[in-house]
Amino acid sequence: MSHTGFILHPGQRIASTREFATSAKRTGRVPVIQLFGRLSGGEVFLIEETRFRPYFFVHEEAAHLLEREHDVTLEATELRSLSGRALTRVVARMPGEIPRLRERIESMGQQAYEADIRFPYRFLCDRGVGVGVEIAGEPEILAGGLLRFLNPEIRAADVQPELSVLSIDIETTSDASRVHSVALVGAGADEVLIVSDTPVEAAVVCSDEAELLSRAAESVRRIDPDVITGWNVVDFDLRVLATRARAKHIRFDVGRIPGPIDLQRDGSYTRQSRADIPGRIVLDGMNLVRDAFISLEDFSLETAARTLLGRGKLIQPHDGDRGAEIQRQYREERDAFVEYNREDAKLVLDILEQEALLDLAIERSRLCGMQLDRVGASIASFDRLYLPRLRAHGYVAPSVDRERKSARVQGGAVMDSQAGLYENVAVYDFRSLYPSLMRTFNLDPLAHAQPGERPIRAPNGAAFSRTEAILPEILEGFLKRRARAKRRGDRHADLAIKIMMNALFGVMGAASCRFFDPAVANAITGFGQDMLARTRRLFEDEGVRVLYGDTDSVFVALSEKANPEIVRKQAESLLERTQAQLSAQIREQYDVEPRFELELERIYSRFFMPTVRGGKQGSKKRYAGLVDDELRVVGLEAVRRDWPAVARRLQLGILERVFRDQSAIPFVREIVRQVRAGELDRELVIRKGLRKGSVERYTARTAPHVEAARRAGGRVGRVVRYVITRSGPEPVLPGLEFPKDPDREHYVEKVLRPLADAILPFVGGNFDEAIGAPHQLELL
């Protein structure tokens, strides 16, 4: 009988052979792969595989160096390295022996291949299984209804899981030295456990912290969620619970089998913390929001909830010091305290549901084959996609070179811009430019390693095979899936595929990727630069003016004073001719079939490109325009988080009036009056992050936000909110009085003046005219 299911948590353990042997005389240890998940029918399962052994590869001629190793088996293979050398498989008894064997081989000047792939992933890669699995066999039923399959045959399956989610939020003393309460919401549960010597409405009362921790762990096991979530749940809630449980000598086991919470940090550049719990996955709500590219002023729960849900925490900043108010409620109003704790847990669940963030994580997991809490690990995801296909071609990948230094990878082309105010500007965009170039020119690690005869030659000189390639096949599959997702209106699958396709280029430019090769990465960007330059020339040959170009987009000025219908026909006609000519050029020069598509992204009825600050040449990546009578702004101060709100008010107001042929001078004059009168003091607040993490890491003469953080005396986080006053930068702290004596003239001269003078000269005005100040004429 076969079953299908979704793998939640791949792991491993070391067991005694007596646990699996039919004879008690057989003793020893055996590595066991454990795959926890949920079947399509709803049951929770555990696959345990005892037959698989860890392995890696060495050059055939180097295999003799390991002949005397105890419990190592050497197997001849027909597999080869990317350079074409024959390889021998080195099979070890335990996963922990692989690093030592690799070190020995490398210490003797030899190379180890695929010696750094985690044991469970090695097994899944060899079986061609991602997260969807078909299981052949009958299970035994363990405690709690867990279905255990021992050594079944498995293969890949396409599974859409239904997962249960539990949100955890804890409240503690101000220094987190004691846990007051634990809220558990979701997966059919809605309870708050609290330490109290009196009854508390709508809460489970515990006599002390030890009882609280024990009962909280018991509740999680009883609720039995697939996913545990919360806000900063790994670095705070779970870390504090595990720490306090150790202090109280309590086993805080919350998995589907006994085992502690293993708190760890990924070695990738994201450095995201992870919590490993047997049989469950922990998804931090904060990381899910970040990974979905949701734009927020900051990533506090209060900001996320206010922005996405329209409601926030039950204790607000205007209630005074929030931390002090929480402690007061715990002492004096425990019913309100419990509701505050419960609401924090509910907010996270509601954000996940509102933005469908779990659905997005599941789609990304199904796409790349990584477990749910590692879908953002782009390099590991690349391996899961690429390694099985590489093996099917008869090749083995190198191990990651731990000593390798990063190398420069050139970026996309950015053209000089033509500053000015324009009518009818069309933006043409290459759809998924880098993936389309990889498909067109076979830009792929294997194709570069085995270029063969008559290769495709990239602008940087790198050669690529016309027949041996893997990434084009992967991308083709992605595009078909994305087309199906678009047809059925599945935005989660659409976004997941878009994220994955874009990541395929980035990993090859990362030194921590086993397929790191600047030649391949620079071939991709080189072709991108070439495509942009070709497109510009073709547009200019058509007699239109190219105002700007950036990576995959070209901005073209069309006929002025024409009605929208004529402008759109001109834009579409230009698109058709340019696409045809560009494709013809590529076919003729490279003898390949073009896979790229130029599209008309939008038409700005009015468009503004500023100059660089203090100069006359046009800026880059900064512009604004009207599309269907809607103002859109890119890169300007109005959409930057490190400029005060008054900058947004001024810049957007000027642009709205200029684009609609209205005078902006009265508007600017009024804004200046309001600032000087103190009517907009709350809009003078500047937000800036502490890039080094904490103010203590800054030692030299520091920027205003660091000085403000110092004056706050440790009452700010990674983002500092401050105002420039006559006595210097002063922090703006929740619940405290707004800083006195803002330096309003500083904002007039250093914020309002440069913003206004970046736009007004294009319509014959200037800031001095707006505020009625005398204007000094330039001497000729």
Side-chain angles (χ1 to χ4, degrees):
M1 182 176 179
S2 66
H3 311 259
T4 59
F6 184 86
I7 297 172
L8 279 169
H9 179 252
Q12 66 189 62
R13 69 184 178 103
I14 304 299
S16 167
T17 52
R18 287 187 176 182
E19 184 178 339
F20 303 100
T22 56
S23 170
K25 294 181 180 180
R26 295 175 59 190
T27 62
R29 297 189 307 153
V30 60
V32 183
I33 291 169
Q34 295 183 303
L35 307 175
F36 290 90
R38 186 173 287 278
L39 295 179
S40 299
E43 304 92 338
V44 179
F45 72 85
L46 166 62
I47 294 172
E48 291 203 308
E49 169 61 56
T50 67
R51 301 165 297 181
F52 192 70
R53 294 294 177 268
Y55 67 86
F56 66 101
F57 298 91
V58 297
H59 292 142
E60 188 176 66
E61 61 272 21
H64 71 279
L65 298 173
L66 298 175
E67 287 177 347
R68 295 185 180 181
E69 282 285 341
H70 180 61
D71 285 335
V72 168
T73 303
L74 302 176
E75 299 174 355
T77 75
E78 296 182 356
L79 300 170
R80 295 188 174 273
S81 68
L82 288 174
S83 62
R85 297 176 67 176
L87 298 175
T88 294
R89 189 193 314 266
V90 180
V91 183
R93 191 170 62 94
M94 294 289 170
E97 295 170 0
I98 297 294
R100 178 184 63 81
L101 294 171
R102 175 184 178 179
E103 292 287 348
R104 181 176 177 190
I105 282 291
E106 291 180 344
S107 70
M108 292 183 282
Q110 296 295 326
Q111 190 171 355
Y113 292 81
E114 296 188 4
D116 51 3
I117 299 173
R118 291 180 58 199
F119 187 43
Y121 286 126
R122 173 81 283 171
F123 172 73
L124 290 171
C125 279
D126 285 8
R127 298 298 186 276
V129 174
V131 289
V133 62
E134 181 179 328
I135 311 164
E138 287 299 318
E140 62 173 315
I141 304 177
L142 303 182
L146 181 64
L147 302 185
R148 179 200 187 215
F149 296 86
L150 179 60
N151 294 330
E153 296 305 312
I154 66 171
R155 63 181 182 181
D158 187 18
V159 177
Q160 180 68 55
E162 293 287 337
L163 305 179
S164 59
V165 185
L166 176 69
S167 179
I168 295 180
D169 185 81
I170 69 172
E171 297 301 333
T172 71
T173 55
S174 57
D175 61 357
S177 62
R178 192 168 66 254
V179 181
H180 289 325
S181 64
V182 179
L184 304 171
V185 180
D190 185 355
E191 62 187 65
V192 178
L193 298 90
I194 185 172
V195 177
S196 178
D197 53 5
T198 59
V200 181
E201 186 177 353
V204 178
V205 171
C206 302
S207 60
D208 56 25
E209 187 185 23
E211 183 186 356
L212 173 76
L213 295 169
S214 295
R215 294 185 68 171
E218 180 184 333
S219 291
V220 173
R221 294 194 299 270
R222 170 178 47 80
I223 297 165
D224 195 26
D226 298 310
V227 177
I228 291 175
T229 191
W231 204 261
N232 199 28
V233 68
V234 177
D235 280 337
F236 182 70
D237 303 80
L238 293 178
R239 192 173 297 278
V240 170
L241 289 170
T243 300
R244 294 305 301 151
R246 285 194 300 270
K248 294 293 183 180
H249 307 290
I250 294 169
R251 286 180 61 89
F252 194 75
D253 289 353
V254 293
R256 284 185 162 138
I257 59 173
I261 300 174
D262 180 18
L263 299 168
Q264 53 194 254
R265 189 179 294 275
D266 267 0
S268 66
Y269 75 94
T270 63
R271 305 298 294 167
Q272 286 186 355
S273 299
R274 297 176 55 243
D276 196 70
I277 298 176
R280 310 193 201 282
I281 285 293
V282 178
L283 298 179
D284 197 310
M286 182 167 59
N287 293 337
L288 290 176
V289 169
R290 281 191 173 122
D291 291 346
F293 304 102
I294 295 173
S295 179
L296 299 172
E297 284 193 3
D298 60 58
F299 286 92
S300 67
L301 177 57
E302 172 67 20
T303 298
R306 286 285 171 195
T307 304
L308 302 175
L309 302 176
R311 74 179 202 273
K313 288 170 167 279
L314 295 183
I315 299 177
Q316 287 297 301
H318 56 69
D319 295 327
D321 185 329
R322 179 182 280 151
E325 177 63 13
I326 291 171
Q327 301 307 316
R328 187 199 67 77
Q329 282 195 359
Y330 177 66
R331 294 190 306 270
E332 302 174 11
E333 297 181 43
R334 289 186 175 168
D335 290 352
F337 175 85
V338 164
E339 284 311 305
Y340 173 77
N341 191 186
R342 175 182 279 111
E343 179 65 6
D344 274 9
K346 290 176 65 177
L347 287 173
V348 180
L349 274 186
D350 291 348
I351 288 172
L352 265 60
E353 181 177 0
Q354 164 94 7
E355 301 299 318
L357 297 178
L358 179 60
D359 292 339
L360 176 59
I362 289 172
E363 285 302 325
R364 294 180 68 182
S365 180
R366 295 175 65 211
L367 187 67
C368 68
M370 294 297 294
Q371 65 195 61
L372 285 170
D373 64 341
R374 299 197 71 221
V375 294
S378 55
I379 291 175
S381 299
F382 188 98
D383 279 353
R384 292 284 278 130
L385 290 166
Y386 201 90
L387 289 176
R389 292 171 172 85
L390 184 65
R391 181 67 59 84
H393 281 258
Y395 294 96
V396 171
S399 302
V400 175
D401 184 349
R402 294 166 293 190
E403 304 299 322
R404 180 166 51 201
K405 304 296 183 184
S406 60
R408 182 178 180 275
V409 175
Q410 63 187 5
V414 181
M415 299 177 185
D416 292 335
S417 68
Q418 307 297 313
L421 188 63
Y422 301 93
E423 293 184 35
N424 300 329
V425 173
V427 181
Y428 296 92
D429 177 77
F430 283 100
R431 179 179 297 175
S432 302
L433 176 61
Y434 288 165
S436 69
L437 294 176
M438 293 155 76
R439 293 172 63 223
T440 298
F441 299 106
N442 269 8
L443 307 180
D444 169 85
L446 176 59
H448 181 52
Q450 302 289 330
E453 299 180 2
R454 206 172 68 85
I456 300 170
R457 189 75 60 177
N460 68 332
F464 296 86
S465 169
R466 294 179 178 274
T467 57
E468 289 277 0
I470 294 172
L471 285 179
E473 166 198 338
I474 294 174
L475 288 165
E476 188 68 33
F478 283 173
L479 287 170
K480 289 179 180 177
R481 291 179 67 163
R482 192 177 185 190
R484 292 196 295 269
K486 286 180 178 293
R487 283 197 296 270
R488 66 176 183 267
D490 189 340
R491 65 183 182 91
H492 309 108
D494 183 16
L495 180 57
I497 296 168
K498 179 180 179 180
I499 293 170
M500 194 67 225
M501 284 176 34
N502 289 334
L504 291 179
F505 158 70
V507 298
M508 286 185 289
S512 54
C513 175
R514 71 183 71 251
F515 297 104
F516 170 71
D517 190 342
V520 177
N522 285 324
I524 297 171
T525 55
F527 269 120
Q529 293 175 359
D530 178 64
M531 293 293 288
L532 205 66
R534 289 173 185 265
T535 305
R536 176 176 188 163
R537 289 194 296 269
L538 288 170
F539 278 131
E540 290 175 340
D541 289 345
E542 291 282 347
V544 295
R545 184 181 179 188
V546 175
L547 302 177
Y548 180 56
D550 185 355
T551 307
D552 57 359
S553 301
V554 181
F555 294 67
V556 177
L558 303 176
S559 300
E560 294 186 7
K561 308 303 179 184
N563 67 53
E565 184 177 350
I566 292 175
V567 170
R568 176 158 291 278
K569 286 183 178 178
Q570 181 190 7
E572 291 173 347
S573 179
L574 270 173
L575 172 65
E576 185 177 346
R577 294 195 300 273
T578 302
Q579 174 75 56
Q581 293 175 59
L582 191 57
S583 297
Q585 285 184 3
I586 297 305
R587 288 192 191 95
E588 181 179 355
Q589 182 172 346
Y590 293 100
D591 191 22
V592 297
E593 185 57 32
R595 303 285 185 175
F596 49 80
E597 181 181 354
L598 188 66
E599 57 184 354
L600 176 60
E601 184 179 6
R602 66 177 61 94
I603 298 175
Y604 289 102
S605 58
R606 301 298 298 273
F607 182 77
F608 171 66
M609 176 69 74
T611 60
V612 296
R613 184 72 56 82
K616 294 185 178 180
Q617 68 270 34
S619 64
K620 298 175 181 180
K621 301 182 183 293
R622 301 172 66 242
Y623 51 86
L626 280 183
V627 179
D628 297 328
D629 209 40
E630 176 187 343
L631 178 62
R632 298 195 182 186
V633 178
V634 174
L636 297 179
E637 292 78 3
V639 293
R640 288 179 52 177
R641 296 177 183 173
D642 56 349
W643 279 72
V646 71
R648 176 181 178 84
R649 177 191 291 267
L650 180 80
Q651 193 172 61
L652 294 183
I654 295 175
L655 288 170
E656 286 277 5
R657 286 159 177 80
V658 167
F659 286 156
R660 302 182 196 284
D661 297 318
Q662 300 170 0
S663 175
I665 296 297
F667 169 75
V668 175
R669 184 179 298 124
E670 175 60 16
I671 295 295
V672 172
R673 186 201 66 77
Q674 290 177 318
V675 169
R676 285 174 168 166
E679 297 173 14
L680 299 179
D681 281 356
R682 293 283 175 177
E683 294 191 16
L684 305 183
V685 179
I686 302 169
R687 299 175 62 260
K688 199 166 182 66
L690 294 170
R691 292 180 178 271
K692 296 183 180 180
S694 66
V695 69
E696 291 78 16
R697 296 188 178 184
Y698 292 83
T699 56
R701 185 176 179 181
T702 53
H705 70 294
V706 180
E707 179 61 28
R710 285 182 176 148
R711 294 186 182 190
R715 290 174 291 177
V716 296
R718 295 180 65 94
V719 177
V720 183
R721 301 174 73 247
Y722 68 98
V723 169
I724 300 295
T725 71
R726 293 182 185 277
S727 60
E730 290 289 343
V732 177
L733 299 171
L736 299 184
E737 186 179 356
F738 193 80
K740 296 179 179 179
D741 202 17
D743 189 348
R744 300 184 182 101
E745 282 305 308
H746 167 86
Y747 286 90
V748 170
E749 292 298 323
K750 301 299 183 182
V751 175
L752 303 186
R753 177 182 290 277
L755 292 184
D757 277 342
I759 307 172
L760 294 179
F762 290 99
V763 290
N766 59 65
F767 187 70
D768 284 330
E769 176 190 352
I771 64 174
H775 178 61
Q776 182 177 349
L777 297 176
E778 292 184 5
L779 297 178
L780 299 178

